[in-house]
Amino acid sequence: MRIPRPSRRLALLGATAAAALSVTAVTLPGVAGAAPHPQQRPTIVLEHGAFADASSWDGVVERLRHAGYPVVAAANPLRGPAYDAAHLRGVIDRVDGPVVLVGHSYGGTVISRAAVGMEDKVKALVYIAAFLPDSGESSLGLTNKLPGSTLGEAVEPVEYTLPGGVRGTDLSIEPDKFHRQFAADVPADKARLMAAGQRPIAAAALEEKSTGAAWKTIPSWSLVTTGDRNIPVAVQRFMSARAHAHTTEVDASHAVSVSRPDAVVRIVEKAARTAR
């Protein structure tokens, strides 16, 4: 069978294509002019505190995602530092790549415990109107270290009994006191929704002493809220200074993630830019 010879036009096209491939083969190995691969952004893991839930991060999540960060807003059981830290470590273990841990209020106690020994994975800790406890300290003990908190006047204890007879006490903020106590700079309608959906915390969780303090080995940032009625501003400043945290102050209530998500995002991004 006779194989037709290619036309001169086809032969020229083939030669041109071969030349192009030849040039490509020379330039690619040298990566000259090739765009660098973008560095992997850390995943931001958010841990809410007492009297709140994961929705308190909504404004922060929206802004961080818009900026290109993967975000996880974890559900905090609010049962105690050891229990809650173990739960959070399970969340962190499921994340690929580096993590920036962000804790609000009692969530700061949890991230301080959860990140111990996780320096290879957790690259920064960010405390938002939060506790930065050392070993042997409790959230309640730090709250009462200096005057300024009115939380004791606003909480309502509720006793419960579990199957098997185990008894305990949960704490919530009384709904009619929630706006002034927790979220004074949040619109009243929004504060009422927050009060209705608040997650109670076990009273024992606030009294349980911390073991380990990850801020001693992991770089930390702290957003101090000067209008806070839960954790006195003087206590926030003391803990932040002791941890050598990169500290910013903002005129906001304890619910700063709701009232000032922009301020929260700015400090989280500062921490995230150092993560490698």
Side-chain angles (χ1 to χ4, degrees):
M1 179 183 294
R2 183 180 177 183
I3 300 175
R5 296 180 61 188
S7 67
R8 178 176 178 80
R9 176 179 174 80
L10 288 175
L12 285 173
L13 287 173
T16 303
L21 286 173
S22 176
V23 171
T24 303
V26 170
T27 55
L28 275 182
V31 241
H37 292 291
Q39 181 180 346
Q40 180 184 8
R41 292 199 169 195
T43 297
I44 314 300
V45 176
L46 306 166
E47 181 83 341
H48 68 80
F51 319 119
D53 64 11
S55 70
S56 62
W57 295 113
D58 282 356
V60 175
V61 172
E62 181 182 17
R63 287 162 174 79
L64 286 172
R65 289 183 58 134
H66 182 74
Y69 289 94
V71 186
V72 176
N76 188 348
L78 302 175
R79 297 298 90 190
Y83 184 98
D84 300 337
H87 183 274
L88 181 57
R89 285 175 73 98
V91 174
I92 298 168
D93 286 340
R94 294 195 298 273
V95 174
D96 291 329
V99 166
V100 172
L101 269 186
V102 184
H104 172 244
S105 189
Y106 165 80
T109 296
V110 179
I111 70 172
S112 295
R113 172 74 176 266
V116 172
M118 300 192 78
E119 294 84 0
D120 290 343
K121 179 116 179 189
V122 178
K123 301 303 181 181
L125 302 170
V126 185
Y127 296 88
I128 307 298
F131 293 109
L132 291 78
D134 201 348
S135 295
E137 294 179 336
S138 69
S139 299
L140 183 60
L142 286 166
T143 300
N144 296 330
K145 186 177 182 68
L146 295 168
S149 175
T150 57
L151 181 61
E153 304 164 14
V155 295
E156 180 180 27
V158 176
E159 295 186 355
Y160 61 85
T161 303
L162 297 175
V166 177
R167 302 183 66 182
T169 301
D170 273 352
L171 300 176
S172 296
I173 296 178
E174 295 180 40
D176 61 342
K177 297 179 180 179
F178 189 94
H179 190 194
R180 183 178 187 278
Q181 176 63 41
F182 194 88
D185 55 353
V186 173
D189 288 348
K190 176 65 174 175
R192 279 193 287 272
L193 292 175
M194 294 170 64
Q198 65 176 298
R199 295 273 308 280
I201 186 169
L206 298 178
E207 299 173 355
E208 182 181 324
K209 293 182 178 180
S210 295
T211 57
W215 48 260
K216 292 183 177 181
T217 56
I218 299 174
S220 59
W221 280 255
S222 180
L223 185 64
V224 171
T225 43
T226 59
D228 204 309
R229 292 188 173 99
N230 274 30
I231 307 175
V233 62
V235 174
Q236 293 184 51
R237 288 170 176 157
F238 158 74
M239 293 184 293
S240 301
R242 179 178 63 178
H244 303 291
H246 305 276
T247 303
T248 301
E249 296 196 357
V250 61
D251 182 14
S253 72
H254 194 63
V256 62
S257 64
V258 179
S259 65
R260 294 292 306 276
D262 54 330
V264 173
V265 168
R266 277 197 295 272
I267 196 167
V268 171
E269 287 195 291
K270 286 178 182 178
R273 283 194 287 269
T274 72
R276 295 291 185 271

